[in-house]
């Protein structure tokens, strides 16, 4: 009887692990800034990239876009609408120009050219109410963040072309009501305009969202209270985010691990995603931010990283990259394409091409150290194990080389040209890695005792259950 009880408990654990994975969370994230018919906005694209990175880190399937035309924006919305059907949490984030006409809010694609109210009504702009209803109406929890409360760039043109009839062109965005299970947050109050922030950084509203909504264990409405306080303080009380909520339960975007019995009761508790603990959420956000700008040829995007992370772990790389863009090659790095054989962008790589290079253990350590120096974190062991293969793939992807996780002669040569400074001396990782390697040789058949670490908890529990039940049937 005791054995049966254990088996049932393990089966329940397996179902719980699968249930955590089953939570469906989808986000639409778009930033429009390079407008063709009005002055460009410097920060929406940066805001969107930052937000997409944060949401992916906490388990969202993100439909992302920057500087989209009307047609491209419609494509992304259709994709988002399909993915959001039956979602537990659907999130909508937009940064860019938005306008309000006669109490209705619209988002502006970058190719919008609005001369009259008729242009808006015929589809030059995107009706927010209709869009949210069509794409998110089926989701259990709907979260909407609009960093679009800027001055209407077409207001003067619309008023000058409406001599024969009155047109109500408003400042900022109009008030919106939220339906059941919905939270809507604006960068500032109805009819007011929001700040775009210093060029090359996040806007005050987006920066506050990034700092608070993914904090482990903080409920979304508590997070929004912190967002309002941060923006109010940062702008010297010049901007106060506003919102309307009709949530019917607690919602955590990044809950802390807790016993199942502690989960809140009620219809919204099922919409709150299962506990997804993040060991270092702030570090994850910083890494994602750096990845989004590290290959940029725009100093302002690299400065955005430095502004948000003045003592960040990639500070020296950002400064070196800025120096190379502004003053030519610096003493630390070279232009990534200088002296590179164009064939490197097309030639495939595999185990055979890597073997042809003939890298010994010391040269493999050198490759690992160089990857570390470029911001691709890997242990310096002299062995190209699975984690190192993954890092090589990321480096290849960042450079535009064919991705495989294996090197060829051209890629290896290209890597050697990226760092001009003296190659770093061997780290303590080298000597430390040798010891466990020797111990592993003496240990013989360990049977893979720790193979489940970091793996699929459902698969591990299922394996235990299968083994126990198989043993019972053999008796």
């Amino acid at each position: 009887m005791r054995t049966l009880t254990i088996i049932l408990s393990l089966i329940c654990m397996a179902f719980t692990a699968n249930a955590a994975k089953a939570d469906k969370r989808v986000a639409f994230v778009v930033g429009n800034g390079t407008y063709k018919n009005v002055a460009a906005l410097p920060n929406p694209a940066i805001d969107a990239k930052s937000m997409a990175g944060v949401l992916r880190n906490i388990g969202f399937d993100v439909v992302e876009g920057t500087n989209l035309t009307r047609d491209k924006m419609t494509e992304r919305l259709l994709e988002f609408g399909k993915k959001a059907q039956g979602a537990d949490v659907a999130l909508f984030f937009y940064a860019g120009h938005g306008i309000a006409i006669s109490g209705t809010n619209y988002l502006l694609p970058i190719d919008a050219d609005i001369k009259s109210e008729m242009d808006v009504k015929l589809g030059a702009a995107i009706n927010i109410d209709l869009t949210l209803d069509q794409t998110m109406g089926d989701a259990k929890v709907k979260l909407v963040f609009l960093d679009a409360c800027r001055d209407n760039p077409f207001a003067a043109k619309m008023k000058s072309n409406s001599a024969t009839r009155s047109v109500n062109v408003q400042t900022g965005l109009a008030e919106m009501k939220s339906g059941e299970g919905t939270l809507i947050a604006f960068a500032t109050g109805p009819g007011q305009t929001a700040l775009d922030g210093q060029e090359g950084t996040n806007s005050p509203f987006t920066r506050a969202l990034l700092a608070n909504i993914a904090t482990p264990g903080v409920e979304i409405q508590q997070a929004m209270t912190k967002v309002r306080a941060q923006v109010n303080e940062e702008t010297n009380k010049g901007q106060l985010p506003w919102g309307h909520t009709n949530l019917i339960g607690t919602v955590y975007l990044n809950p802390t691990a807790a016993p199942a019995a502690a989960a809140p009761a009620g219809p919204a508790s099922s919409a709150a995603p299962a506990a997804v603990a993040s060991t270092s959420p702030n570090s994850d956000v910083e890494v994602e931010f750096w990845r989004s700008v590290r290959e940029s040829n725009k100093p302002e995007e690299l400065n955005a990283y430095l502004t948000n992370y003045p003592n960040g772990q990639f500070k020296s790389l950002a400064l070196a990259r800025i120096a190379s863009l502004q003053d030519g090659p610096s003493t630390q790095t070279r232009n990534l394409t200088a002296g590179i054989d164009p064939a490197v962008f097309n030639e495939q790589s595999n185990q055979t091409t890597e073997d042809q290079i003939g890298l010994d253990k010391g040269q493999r350590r050198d490759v690992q150290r160089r990857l570390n120096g470029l911001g691709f974190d890997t242990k310096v062991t002299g062995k190209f194990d699975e984690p190192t293969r993954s890092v090589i793939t990321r480096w290849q992807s960042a450079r535009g080389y064919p991705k495989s996780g294996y090197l060829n002669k051209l890629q290896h040569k290209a890597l050697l040209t990226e760092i001009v400074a003296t190659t770093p001396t061997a780290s303590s990782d080298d000597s430390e890695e040798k010891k466990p390697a020797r111990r592993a040789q003496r240990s013989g058949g360990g049977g893979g005792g720790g193979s489940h670490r970091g793996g699929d908890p459902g698969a591990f529990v299922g394996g235990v259950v299968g083994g126990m039940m198989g043993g019972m049937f053999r008796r």
Side-chain angles (χ1 to χ4, degrees), residues 221-243:
Q221 296 188 71
Q222 295 175 328
M224 293 312 299
T225 298
K226 295 181 179 182
V227 168
R228 286 190 289 274
Q230 180 174 326
V231 173
N232 193 43
E233 179 180 359
E234 185 176 326
T235 62
N236 295 316
K237 298 185 178 181
Q239 179 178 330
L240 183 64
W242 175 89

Side-chain angles (χ1 to χ4, degrees), residues 69 109 141 175 215 260 267-268 282 385 430 455 468:
T69 62
V141 171
E175 182 176 355
T215 303
N282 293 331
D385 52 10
D430 296 345
M468 293 181 65

Side-chain angles (χ1 to χ4, degrees), residues 352-385:
T352 301
T353 64
E354 188 172 278
D355 291 342
Q356 290 171 349
I357 305 174
L359 299 175
D360 59 25
K361 192 168 185 177
Q363 291 171 315
R364 288 172 182 257
R365 288 197 195 109
D366 179 65
V367 167
Q368 291 168 327
R369 282 194 291 268
R370 289 176 180 274
L371 289 170
N372 276 323
L374 294 169
F376 300 90
D377 187 29
T378 185
K379 289 186 177 181
V380 181
T381 64
K383 296 180 180 179
F384 284 0
D385 52 10

Side-chain angles (χ1 to χ4, degrees), residues 171-454:
T171 300
L173 293 182
E175 182 176 355
M176 291 173 61
K177 297 293 185 181
S178 57
E180 182 178 308
T182 303
L183 178 148
I184 299 177
F186 294 86
T188 191
Q192 300 177 26
T193 56
L195 301 174
D196 197 43
Q198 182 180 352
E199 184 173 350
T201 66
N202 294 119
S203 75
F205 180 58
T206 296
R207 182 159 45 248
L209 288 175
L210 296 171
N212 292 284
I213 63 171
T215 303
V218 176
E219 202 273 335
I220 188 61
Q221 296 188 71
Q222 295 175 328
M224 293 312 299
T225 298
K226 295 181 179 182
V227 168
R228 286 190 289 274
Q230 180 174 326
V231 173
N232 193 43
E233 179 180 359
E234 185 176 326
T235 62
N236 295 316
K237 298 185 178 181
Q239 179 178 330
L240 183 64
W242 175 89
H244 191 277
T245 180
N246 205 355
L247 295 176
I248 55 175
T250 55
V251 177
Y252 296 85
L253 294 190
N254 190 11
T256 53
S269 62
S270 61
V276 182
S278 178
T279 55
S280 54
N282 293 331
S283 176
D284 289 344
V285 172
E286 181 190 351
V287 170
E288 191 64 36
F289 194 119
W290 171 246
R291 288 176 181 172
S292 71
V293 302
R294 66 187 175 194
E295 299 302 322
S296 174
N297 291 320
K298 298 179 180 179
E300 61 270 20
E301 293 187 355
L302 294 157
N303 278 317
Y305 167 79
L306 294 173
T307 300
N308 284 277
Y309 302 97
N311 298 309
Q313 56 185 312
F314 306 109
K315 178 180 178 180
S316 60
L317 294 173
L319 291 172
R321 178 72 173 154
I322 291 171
S324 70
L325 292 172
Q326 294 178 335
D327 306 318
S330 71
T331 59
Q332 293 179 318
T333 62
R334 287 179 179 170
N335 187 314
L336 293 178
T337 59
I340 299 295
D341 188 329
V344 73
F345 295 98
N346 299 311
E347 188 166 313
Q348 299 296 322
S349 56
N350 50 45
Q351 183 69 69
T352 301
T353 64
E354 188 172 278
D355 291 342
Q356 290 171 349
I357 305 174
L359 299 175
D360 59 25
K361 192 168 185 177
Q363 291 171 315
R364 288 172 182 257
R365 288 197 195 109
D366 179 65
V367 167
Q368 291 168 327
R369 282 194 291 268
R370 289 176 180 274
L371 289 170
N372 276 323
L374 294 169
F376 300 90
D377 187 29
T378 185
K379 289 186 177 181
V380 181
T381 64
K383 296 180 180 179
F384 284 0
D385 52 10
E386 186 175 345
T388 298
R389 295 293 179 200
S390 177
V391 168
I392 291 174
T393 301
R394 283 170 42 207
W395 171 77
Q396 290 169 328
S397 177
R399 301 300 184 260
Y401 306 151
K403 297 180 293 182
S404 68
Y406 294 90
L407 297 173
N408 57 34
K409 290 182 179 180
L410 290 176
Q411 289 182 9
H412 183 239
K413 182 179 178 181
L415 176 61
L416 297 183
T417 67
E418 287 195 33
I419 300 178
V420 179
T422 304
T423 304
T425 57
S427 68
S428 59
D429 287 341
D430 296 345
S431 57
E432 289 300 318
E433 288 294 333
K434 293 176 183 177
K435 295 176 182 178
R438 288 195 292 267
R439 285 196 295 267
Q441 291 173 1
R442 291 195 298 267
S443 63
S451 63
H452 67 279
R453 291 182 182 176

